[in-house]
Amino acid sequence: MESGWVPDNTQAGLQQENWSPGEPQPSFWTGLEVEKKDIVIPVTTFRCPNCGYLESYAIPQSQNGVLVSGTSSSQRQRTAMLIALGVMALLIAFGVALLIRVR
């Protein structure tokens, strides 16, 4: 089996799939809300090069004995939304400044 990963296509682009404990809750803005955001484990997928069979595992990664978790897709979506709102605010401010300057 060879190691790989399954991309999660979001508005922020391709991200690595993650596993979170508990049940997802519906959210108006982000689709689903994750209960325990601090516990997120990246999903690693293994593929058989002969038959193409896939097996996915949520394997906690460690650095120097300390477990490292990823970022949930809801956190990525929230970050992307905040960046988009900031860009929109800058564009509106720039447009208003141009309108004031033309008069």
Side-chain angles (χ1 to χ4, degrees):
M1 301 287 274
E2 57 186 359
S3 176
W5 62 284
V6 178
D8 185 10
N9 193 6
T10 67
Q11 292 177 344
L14 293 178
Q15 303 288 332
Q16 183 174 8
E17 204 172 31
N18 289 303
W19 176 88
S20 298
E23 294 294 320
Q25 302 299 318
S27 170
F28 178 77
W29 295 106
T30 60
L32 292 175
E33 187 68 32
V34 179
E35 287 180 7
K36 299 178 181 179
K37 296 176 185 162
D38 56 335
I39 304 173
V40 178
I41 301 172
V43 173
T44 300
T45 303
F46 293 91
R47 177 186 170 276
C48 175
N50 296 326
C51 67
Y53 175 76
L54 299 175
E55 285 185 7
S56 296
Y57 297 92
I59 303 170
Q61 299 176 356
S62 65
Q63 293 177 351
N64 299 329
V66 178
L67 288 179
V68 178
S69 65
T71 1
S72 70
S73 60
S74 64
Q75 288 172 320
R76 291 190 300 262
Q77 288 176 345
R78 190 172 294 121
T79 302
M81 189 180 341
L82 288 174
I83 290 171
L85 288 173
V87 169
M88 285 174 41
L90 284 172
L91 289 173
I92 290 170
F94 183 69
V96 169
L98 283 176
L99 286 174
I100 292 172
R101 187 173 182 182
V102 170
R103 290 183 178 192

